[in-house]
Amino acid sequence: MLPVPAGVPTVGLTTLGYALLGVALGTCSGLTPGLHANNFALLLASVVPVLPGPTVALGAAMLAAGVVHTFLDVVPALALGVPDPATAAVTLPGHRLVLDGRGREALRLSALGSGLAVVVALVVAVPVTRAVETVYPTLRRHLPVLLAAVGTFLVGTEPTWRRRFGAVATLGVAAGLGWLVLDLEPTGPVAAGGVLAPLFAGLFGAPVLIEALSGRGVPPQADPTVTLDRRTVLGTATAGAGAGALVGYLPGVSAAVGTVLVLPAVPGRSGARGFLVASSGASTANTVFALFALLALGTPRTGVMVAMERADTVASAGVLLGTVCLAAAVGFALVVSVGDAYLRTVGRLDYGRVCLATGGLLAGLAYLFAGSLGLAVFALAAVVGLLPPALGVRRVHLMAVLAPPIVL
């Protein structure tokens, strides 16, 4: 065993070790479709009494897992569920790039969006949090009205009246699904799940895979050159950080919803590339702002923050912010190094079998985290998740599933 250098605190080395453990767990969760860092965080929270070392080290592990996951979850999202080119108009923006042979560029755009958004979020998080502290009581009292305004804006951004009516129908059905299942308390073999895991796997995972069964899989991918200019990348990443702030402080607003809200403020038309940069940035910046929301307001906004609060691991802001920087740097490198190989590997496999195997994995995770009831929720959510492409509207309207407990 190597000797510990003089002057290096043992606690610091322990915390670093736990942070690297979190990086490894976030890598596994990010590259596994249907698995989220929240599940790892809740597992860690359940075993905190028997783990050695300071609790802040465990918090570093949870936080690192969450940050790395937000970088890497784009990899299976791009490689799996690629539809037939004929349906590209109503599919996910990242899949359109993959169909055009620009998947490697998409990976780098996502990494840039996440990395730049972390930098922006760390710079502005303190003043933004202070501002939110001032207005938060008012926002909380008027939250139903605010969420209604968000829903109205999302509907209004659909290009035709037919699609707007489809968006209203999707919002209503998703909200009804949330009212039906969110109060359920299923139990599964692993006590770290709950209903959200099968719910979101059904809404956003299974329908994409079902549509992809008739697709041709991942086509050959061209060079990784990023075709967006630097100013546009920086502008859309900053917009993503702004969306991350909305998600971090307001319950019921997802990264995709926040991106739709802020992206019109970005000058120019960046299309699918801009949305990918901004949505990736929103997802990662959300973790930073959610951390500040927990530290300043005592309100956990993500599963990782819930687990950290439950395990009483929010002890040192400096250590946690250092963990964010470490995890972001590693996550950025992993997207580029692992993502290309992931795309190549999936592209060589029988794509129908890949989709079926991935669907089986999602169903297995639904059972693992929520038992038989989880499978029922997964199946029902999958049916609802097929509604947006059938109506030709964006899948983001499905996030209304989270509205009922917030409004009621």
Side-chain angles (χ1 to χ4, degrees):
M1 181 180 294
L2 293 174
V4 177
V8 177
T10 302
V11 171
L13 290 176
T14 302
T15 303
L16 176 61
Y18 271 96
L20 293 176
L21 171 64
V23 167
L25 293 176
T27 301
C28 292
S29 68
L31 295 177
T32 304
L35 195 59
H36 197 277
N38 291 352
N39 305 124
F40 281 123
L42 292 170
L43 278 172
L44 287 169
S46 68
V47 298
V48 62
V50 300
L51 288 177
T55 55
V56 68
L58 187 67
M62 296 177 184
L63 187 59
V67 171
V68 171
H69 178 96
T70 65
F71 275 85
L72 286 174
D73 60 356
V74 71
V75 176
L78 290 175
L80 302 171
V82 178
D84 188 272
T87 64
V90 294
T91 194
L92 301 175
H95 284 158
R96 296 176 211 160
L97 294 174
V98 173
L99 287 170
D100 291 337
R102 303 305 303 171
R104 298 175 68 196
E105 178 191 3
L107 289 170
R108 284 149 181 82
L109 287 169
S110 177
L112 286 170
S114 290
L116 290 171
V118 166
V119 175
V120 173
L122 289 173
V123 170
V124 305
V126 171
V128 169
T129 302
R130 288 176 178 170
V132 171
E133 281 184 287
T134 303
V135 301
Y136 185 75
T138 302
L139 289 176
R140 192 68 186 89
R141 285 195 305 271
H142 298 91
L143 189 57
V145 176
L146 182 60
L147 292 180
V150 170
T152 301
F153 179 85
L154 292 177
V155 171
T157 56
E158 293 288 354
T160 66
W161 279 105
R162 180 178 179 180
R163 290 178 62 173
R164 288 168 194 158
F165 284 122
V168 171
T170 302
L171 285 167
V173 173
L177 176 64
W179 176 80
L180 182 65
V181 307
L182 285 177
D183 287 335
L184 300 177
E185 296 183 359
T187 57
V190 176
V195 75
L196 287 180
L199 180 62
F200 281 95
L203 283 175
F204 298 101
V208 174
L209 294 171
I210 292 171
E211 296 164 23
L213 284 173
S214 60
R216 304 171 190 170
V218 177
Q221 300 297 300
D223 66 89
T225 303
V226 173
T227 55
L228 281 184
D229 62 87
R230 295 180 181 179
R231 179 176 297 181
T232 302
V233 171
L234 179 59
T236 49
T238 301
L246 291 176
V247 179
Y249 296 111
L250 295 180
V253 178
S254 71
V257 171
T259 302
V260 173
L261 292 175
V262 303
L263 203 54
V266 179
R269 298 182 62 85
S270 51
R273 288 173 173 81
F275 188 88
L276 186 60
V277 172
S279 59
S280 297
S283 180
T284 306
N286 171 34
T287 304
V288 178
F289 288 112
L291 175 62
F292 277 84
L294 179 58
L295 292 171
L297 305 175
T299 55
R301 293 295 185 216
T302 68
V304 172
M305 299 304 150
V306 169
M308 291 175 64
E309 183 185 48
R310 182 184 301 176
D312 194 23
T313 60
V314 187
S316 172
V319 169
L320 296 177
L321 291 177
T323 299
V324 169
C325 295
L326 171 65
V330 176
F332 185 95
L334 286 173
V335 171
V336 176
S337 60
V338 175
D340 287 352
Y342 203 108
L343 282 173
R344 286 195 303 270
T345 300
V346 173
R348 289 195 294 262
L349 300 175
D350 183 300
Y351 204 67
R353 293 182 179 179
V354 169
C355 292
L356 291 174
T358 305
L361 175 62
L362 294 181
L365 290 172
Y367 177 80
L368 188 66
F369 292 127
S372 299
L373 186 57
L375 286 175
V377 170
F378 172 74
L380 180 59
V383 173
V384 174
L386 290 170
L387 190 59
L391 297 176
V393 300
R394 295 190 301 264
R395 297 179 192 274
V396 69
H397 303 297
L398 293 172
M399 289 306 301
V401 72
L402 296 178
I406 297 171
V407 175
L408 302 177

